[in-house]
Amino acid sequence: MPYILGIDIGGTKCAVVLGQFESQIKILDKISFATEADKGPEYAIGRIFEGIESLCRRNQLEFGDIEGIGISCGGPLDSKRGIILSPPNLPGWDRVPLVDLLEGRYGIRAKLQNDANACALAEWKFGAARGYRNVVFLTFGTGMGAGLILNGRLYSGTNDMAGEIGHIRMSEHGPVGYGKAGSFEGFCSGNGIAQLARTKVLERIQRGEEPSFCKGLRDLENLSAKMVAEAAFAGDELAKEIFEICGEYLGRGLAVLIDILNPEIIVIGSIFARCRELLWPSAVEAIERESLALSRGVCRIVPAALGEQVGDYAALAVALE
């Protein structure tokens, strides 16, 4: 079975993963570390090199035993030339030629893909979308982006910008995501849910009420999507309302994708996979109201199957592309 390496680069943490592939991916070993984005790309790239070399040493491998390196990173980027182009969550990563750096140091073929595309590849090859030819993957994590598999091939657009669904404006007013108030990412992301919660909680506080998950103005800025989800699962009515609003806009966004792309399956990760029961009732109402019946009837909508390891599988899937 051939050995491959995956590198998952995020604004908060990075991981270097060693895997083997035959008919399925087998994850053998992994090293994770904080990105520490304020230190610039040199720090994280140095840690990536250390991670690759450490994984090879402790698994008794030579660099020549590795058949490929896959890199998953938030965009924008130039996947054809292997260059990372100033992602907003990686300040200072301006035109970083990471593929050339890896290939020059190790003599191993490397490939770069944005994280949504990489996750789409992973769920298509190994997860919930296996066997389908027309697939949409939605990240629905800290932000909202899409990876597209169309007619059995990854579709990345003219300059790697296909699938930026989070930038679509869903309302004139609302949480800010992707630099736009009322965007799909504003309503349907971890950051967006937290913003929406702050607005709704402030309304209650000004009316003299105190939600169970926020004890006054001092806690307002610390609100997170996780805190709201925990309160909603515990039965807090305001927290459930926040997720109903999020689900409504999720459904509207899914209806757009269904009507334009006519996919067989939409796979949704992260927050949807964990909070489906909070989001789905209002989402499905919006989908049925907004989408074409013929397109809706041939499209399944499911949570991601690879769970919290999707980033590991995503980077390894890029190595196999």
Side-chain angles (χ1 to χ4, degrees), residues 12-208:
T12 304
K13 64 181 179 67
C14 296
V16 183
V17 187
L18 175 67
Q20 277 185 305
F21 175 74
E22 197 163 21
S23 60
Q24 266 287 3
I25 283 281
K26 181 181 180 182
I27 294 177
L28 302 176
D29 204 350
K30 175 179 174 178
I31 291 173
S32 300
F33 56 91
T35 307
E36 300 194 45
D38 59 319
K39 294 184 178 180
E42 294 81 8
Y43 171 80
I45 292 169
R47 294 294 306 273
I48 288 168
F49 291 162
E50 290 172 12
I52 290 171
E53 291 155 23
S54 178
L55 286 178
C56 287
R57 277 196 307 272
R58 69 194 198 189
N59 289 277
Q60 300 179 321
L61 297 174
E62 302 291 333
F63 298 142
D65 297 324
I66 307 297
E67 294 209 356
I69 301 174
I71 310 151
S72 171
C73 180
L77 46 80
D78 183 338
S79 64
K80 293 180 179 66
R81 297 168 62 200
I83 299 172
I84 298 171
L85 303 173
S86 307
N89 63 340
L90 293 170
W93 289 60
D94 304 322
R95 303 192 63 81
V96 177
L98 188 54
V99 164
D100 283 351
L101 293 173
L102 289 165
E103 291 182 343
R105 186 178 180 98
Y106 300 114
I108 304 170
R109 171 188 60 84
K111 177 74 175 176
L112 172 68
Q113 238 349 311
N114 81 46
D115 51 0
N117 287 351
C119 288
L121 286 169
E123 287 287 344
W124 181 45
K125 291 177 182 290
F126 315 117
R130 287 187 76 177
Y132 292 89
R133 288 181 55 78
N134 293 300
V135 178
V136 177
F137 175 85
L138 296 181
T139 56
F140 202 163
T142 304
M144 169 63 83
L148 309 175
I149 308 293
L150 303 179
N151 293 326
R153 298 184 64 182
L154 178 68
Y155 179 77
S156 56
T158 302
N159 64 341
D160 285 316
M161 292 298 288
E164 298 295 356
I165 187 73
H167 195 245
I168 292 175
R169 196 186 300 275
M170 309 294 289
S171 171
E172 285 301 307
H173 307 284
V176 178
Y178 222 125
K180 185 182 284 185
S183 65
F184 193 16
E185 180 171 289
F187 283 104
C188 298
S189 66
N191 285 336
I193 291 169
Q195 288 181 58
L196 184 59
R198 290 184 195 110
T199 300
K200 291 293 182 182
V201 167
L202 184 59
E203 290 174 357
R204 295 296 179 95
I205 290 172
Q206 290 180 344
R207 294 205 303 258

Side-chain angles (χ1 to χ4, degrees), residues 196-270:
L196 184 59
R198 290 184 195 110
T199 300
K200 291 293 182 182
V201 167
L202 184 59
E203 290 174 357
R204 295 296 179 95
I205 290 172
Q206 290 180 344
R207 294 205 303 258
E209 303 171 20
E210 190 174 82
S212 66
F213 55 95
C214 184
K215 302 301 182 184
L217 290 173
R218 65 186 180 279
D219 290 338
L220 202 58
E221 288 306 309
N222 297 322
L223 277 176
S224 67
K226 182 180 179 182
M227 292 166 63
V228 181
E230 289 171 350
F233 279 120
D236 185 277
E237 291 302 322
L238 177 58
K240 289 196 291 185
E241 178 189 334
I242 290 164
F243 271 90
E244 286 169 6
I245 294 168
C246 177
E248 161 72 20
Y249 283 95
L250 174 64
R252 294 188 195 183
L254 291 172
V256 171
L257 292 168
I258 289 166
D259 286 351
I260 292 176
L261 297 176
N262 192 201
E264 298 167 273
I265 189 168
I266 299 174
V267 182
I268 314 178
S270 197

